[in-house]
Amino acid sequence: MQGHAHVASVDYTALDDHALVALVRSGEREAFRHIMQRCNQRLFRVARAVIGEDSEAEDVLQESYMRAYDKLDSFRGDSSLSTWLTTIVLNEARGRLRKRHTMVGLEQVDVAPDDTHQIIRFPSKFGSEDPAAFAARTQIRHLLEHAIDELPPGFRVVYMLREVEECSVEETASQLGIKPETVKTRLHRARRLLRSSLHDRLAGTMGEAFPFMGQRCARVTEAVMARLEAEATDA
């Protein structure tokens, strides 16, 4: 990689990935900032899915970006830039797991008996909401994040790529080095495990649903009392 060279008045947001890569290769380091900004969310989600923890996932992302910057000359464009970067992130994250000796025997998980439980599908996009709906969506998001965290690592990363990042079966299989059928199986079981986990979490709060307390209770009570008083006066 050549040294940094200033390029004036470049509209980075208007450039595609290949143009940004070309700028970085020519020495325009600022272009790499925009590559990171475009890819950060997907790459963090992938690292988080493998590592299972926020701060180390951020470390993985930083190290991966450093490796990617040094290896950018090897990017040939045979795949998308995000796919190329995802591979680097996966390798870095898995390397850390190996060092911690916490790799899961996924070959045993993959041959585990299946069942016919109903599968619940979770929407990955939401529309515009008012503040109350936004707060509710935030609570649902946290609930899902905790449930996803509890998935086996191999299921978690497949779920993250397929359901959250909406990658195709083929792209997910290629990224993870597994067969498309394995992707489908792991996704099916991830959904099933999430359904079970969320059911258990929600069951304990069913009795708290539709609370009739506070201002709502007072408002209705006072309205009824006022009507009763009015009827008594008319009688």
Side-chain angles (χ1 to χ4, degrees):
M1 197 89 59
Q2 299 179 27
H4 176 72
H6 180 67
V7 177
S9 303
V10 176
D11 183 5
Y12 296 104
T13 60
L15 301 177
D16 63 20
D17 291 343
H18 292 282
L20 286 175
V21 169
L23 279 178
V24 177
R25 284 173 171 167
S26 71
E28 180 54 31
R29 189 175 300 142
E30 186 66 18
F32 195 70
R33 179 198 303 274
H34 291 266
I35 289 174
M36 290 190 288
Q37 290 171 345
R38 288 184 185 182
C39 300
N40 266 337
Q41 179 163 278
R42 169 183 284 200
L43 299 181
F44 174 76
R45 285 171 168 172
V46 170
R48 181 67 172 73
V50 176
I51 293 295
E53 195 269 328
D54 285 352
S55 61
E56 191 167 3
E58 291 180 16
D59 289 343
V60 166
L61 210 54
Q62 289 185 34
E63 290 303 316
S64 297
Y65 279 136
M66 296 302 294
R67 291 176 186 273
Y69 186 84
D70 290 338
K71 296 170 57 179
L72 203 58
D73 285 338
S74 68
F75 174 66
R76 302 302 178 199
D78 297 331
S79 61
S80 70
L81 182 60
S82 64
T83 296
W84 184 75
L85 289 170
T86 298
T87 300
I88 294 175
V89 169
L90 284 169
N91 288 339
E92 175 67 21
R94 287 166 168 168
R96 292 194 179 216
L97 284 184
R98 282 192 293 270
K99 290 178 182 178
R100 289 183 352 203
H101 304 289
T102 56
M103 291 295 285
V104 174
L106 286 172
E107 67 285 346
Q108 297 178 2
V109 177
D110 286 334
V111 298
D114 204 351
D115 63 24
T116 57
H117 280 78
Q118 180 182 357
I119 296 170
I120 186 169
R121 294 178 181 273
F122 304 109
S124 57
K125 298 289 186 292
F126 295 84
S128 299
E129 300 96 352
D130 58 28
F134 177 78
R137 179 164 67 91
T138 299
Q139 290 181 325
I140 293 171
R141 178 173 59 82
H142 288 316
L143 192 68
L144 275 171
E145 286 174 347
H146 288 308
I148 291 170
D149 277 347
E150 293 177 352
L151 292 172
F155 290 2
R156 192 166 61 222
V157 71
V158 166
Y159 187 86
M160 194 71 74
L161 287 171
R162 287 283 291 117
E163 294 288 275
V164 182
E165 282 302 311
E166 300 181 339
C167 295
S168 68
V169 171
E170 291 73 20
E171 182 180 0
T172 302
S174 176
Q175 295 268 215
L176 301 179
I178 57 180
K179 297 177 181 178
E181 286 303 316
T182 303
V183 170
K184 295 176 183 178
T185 299
R186 290 185 188 176
L187 179 60
H188 173 87
R189 291 173 181 165
R191 288 172 175 162
R192 189 189 70 221
L193 289 170
L194 282 174
R195 177 181 181 273
S196 176
S197 173
L198 289 170
H199 179 273
D200 291 344
R201 288 173 186 273
L202 292 172
T205 61
M206 285 298 184
E208 301 170 9
F210 305 105
F212 201 73
M213 307 289 286
Q215 291 183 351
R216 181 182 296 175
C217 178
R219 183 173 62 249
V220 173
T221 301
E222 290 304 317
V224 171
M225 292 304 295
R227 290 179 64 180
L228 291 175
E229 184 176 350
E231 288 182 2
T233 302
D234 293 338

